[in-house]
């Protein structure tokens, strides 16, 4: 609401005319005097005050409805994000799924069991995501961030996570067979019961990982792993893992 000071009654034309000794200024003086009277008359017109009150009231109502409908707008946003993800299910490329997934995860929406197989997700940021039992078969998620995410029982077969950060994550019982984990930071993650058969673990950071008896580590390349837990390398080699610096050497050692 705009508060106006009460207007004083303007001078009569005779009084106003007497204030200007120059005849050339009379037209401008008359124009100004006319608008002074119009403003004075309107300031005493109650209808305009009512309109002003209604204008302020309508703004207040609009603000109330804006906040009242906020939950519906959030639901609509989530619905559209899921549409993007489900429409592109099983297809290659991103198709807008990176933004949709990050948006849902930021809002705390669980992604349990989501099918993202064969998707292109390079650089995706899904920290503390709930991806248990998700289908991430053959995804390309190089240089991504999955710190503190729940990937237990997820299908990551043939997934490419090269150079990614998967710190303090739960990979319990996950399928990582044939996956590319070259240079991945797995520090403080839970690898209990994980399937690592034919996996590229070269240069991966295994500091403080929980590794209670992985299902398989056969033909897994553990060359140059960083900070492996005590006994891990010896156990892995006894159970079929290899240490090969190059891809050719790895293929030869796996025959």
């Amino acid at each position: 609401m705009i508060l106006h000071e009460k207007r004083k009654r303007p001078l009569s034309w005779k009084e106003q005319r007497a204030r200007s000794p120059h005849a050339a200024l009379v037209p401008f003086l008359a124009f100004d005097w006319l608008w002074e009277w119009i403003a004075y008359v309107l300031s005493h017109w109650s209808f305009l005050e009512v309109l002003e009150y209604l204008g302020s009231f309508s703004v207040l109502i609009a603000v109330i409805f804006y906040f009242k409908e906020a939950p519906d707008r959030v639901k609509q946003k989530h619905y559209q994000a899921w549409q993007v993800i489900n429409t592109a299910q099983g297809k290659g490329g991103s198709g807008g799924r990176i933004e949709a997934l990050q948006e849902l995860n930021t809002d705390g929406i669980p992604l349990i069991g989501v099918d993202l197989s064969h998707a292109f997700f390079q650089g995706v940021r899904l920290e503390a995501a709930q991806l248990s039992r998700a289908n991430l078969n053959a995804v390309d998620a190089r240089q991504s961030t999955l710190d503190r995410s729940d990937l237990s029982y997820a299908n990551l077969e043939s997934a490419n996570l090269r150079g990614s950060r998967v710190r303090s994550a739960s990979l319990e019982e996950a399928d990582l067979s044939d996956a590319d984990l070259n240079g991945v930071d797995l520090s403080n993650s839970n690898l209990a019961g994980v399937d690592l058969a034919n996996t590229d673990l070269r240069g991966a950071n295994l500091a403080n990982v929980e590794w209670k008896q992985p299902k398989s580590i056969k033909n897994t390349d553990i060359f140059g792993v960083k900070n492996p837990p005590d006994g891990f390398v010896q156990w892995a080699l006894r159970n079929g893992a290899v240490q090969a610096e190059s891809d050719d050497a790895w293929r030869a050692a796996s025959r």
Side-chain angles (χ1 to χ4, degrees):
M1 174 61 61
I2 300 174
L3 299 177
H4 301 284
E5 293 183 7
K6 189 175 180 180
R7 286 184 171 273
K8 295 181 179 179
R9 180 184 179 87
L11 299 174
S12 67
W13 171 243
K14 183 177 180 181
E15 293 172 316
Q16 184 77 350
R17 173 67 181 81
R19 295 176 63 182
S20 176
H22 304 289
L25 297 178
V26 170
F28 300 101
L29 194 65
F31 184 78
D32 183 64
W33 175 79
L34 176 62
W35 281 109
E36 278 190 36
W37 271 99
I38 292 174
Y40 172 73
V41 172
L42 291 178
S43 70
H44 289 75
W45 197 10
S46 297
F47 179 66
L48 290 181
E49 280 193 56
V50 173
L51 288 180
E52 188 175 340
Y53 277 110
L54 288 176
S56 299
F57 184 69
S58 64
V59 171
L60 177 61
I61 293 297
V63 170
I64 292 172
F65 272 97
Y66 176 82
F67 286 103
K68 182 177 181 296
E69 294 171 358
D72 292 332
R73 288 196 301 275
V74 172
K75 288 180 182 178
Q76 180 65 21
K77 182 180 69 171
H78 292 166
Y79 174 75
Q80 291 172 346
W82 278 117
Q83 273 193 316
V84 170
I85 293 168
N86 293 330
T87 301
Q89 200 171 88
K91 299 178 182 178
S94 170
R97 283 179 288 186
I98 290 179
E99 294 78 10
L101 286 166
Q102 291 179 159
E103 184 176 276
L104 289 171
N105 186 54
T106 298
D107 289 348
I109 304 300
L111 302 171
I112 298 171
V114 66
D115 185 354
L116 303 171
S117 55
H118 301 278
F120 179 87
F121 286 143
Q122 281 192 28
V124 68
R125 297 185 62 87
L126 291 174
E127 298 179 70
Q130 300 179 53
L131 285 162
S132 177
R133 302 185 184 277
N135 184 4
L136 301 170
N137 176 51
V139 297
D140 186 346
R142 287 171 283 177
Q143 305 297 325
S144 296
T145 301
L146 293 163
D147 292 341
R148 306 186 311 284
S149 290
D150 181 2
L151 290 155
S152 57
Y153 299 93
N155 177 12
L156 286 150
E157 181 183 1
S158 301
N160 187 348
L161 297 174
R162 180 175 289 234
S164 295
R165 292 187 345 195
V166 195
R167 301 174 300 187
S168 302
S170 174
L171 289 155
E172 186 177 2
E173 300 291 337
D175 184 357
L176 282 161
S177 57
D178 295 294
D180 187 346
L181 303 181
N182 193 313
V184 171
D185 187 353
L186 290 162
S187 56
N188 300 298
S189 291
N190 184 357
L191 303 179
V194 71
D195 188 347
L196 290 169
N198 302 302
T199 298
D200 185 356
L201 269 175
R202 288 175 290 181
N205 184 6
L206 303 180
N208 302 312
V209 297
E210 175 63 55
W211 61 285
K212 289 181 181 177
Q213 296 300 314
K215 284 182 181 178
S216 175
I217 200 165
K218 187 177 181 180
N219 296 328
T220 296
D221 193 348
I222 60 170
F223 179 85
V225 291
K226 301 173 184 176
N227 308 306
D230 292 340
F232 173 81
V233 172
Q234 294 81 357
W235 174 87
L237 293 174
R238 285 198 308 270
N239 286 273
V242 299
Q243 289 179 310
E245 184 173 2
S246 67
D247 290 344
D248 290 338
W250 182 18
R251 282 191 290 269
S254 301
R255 290 173 185 169

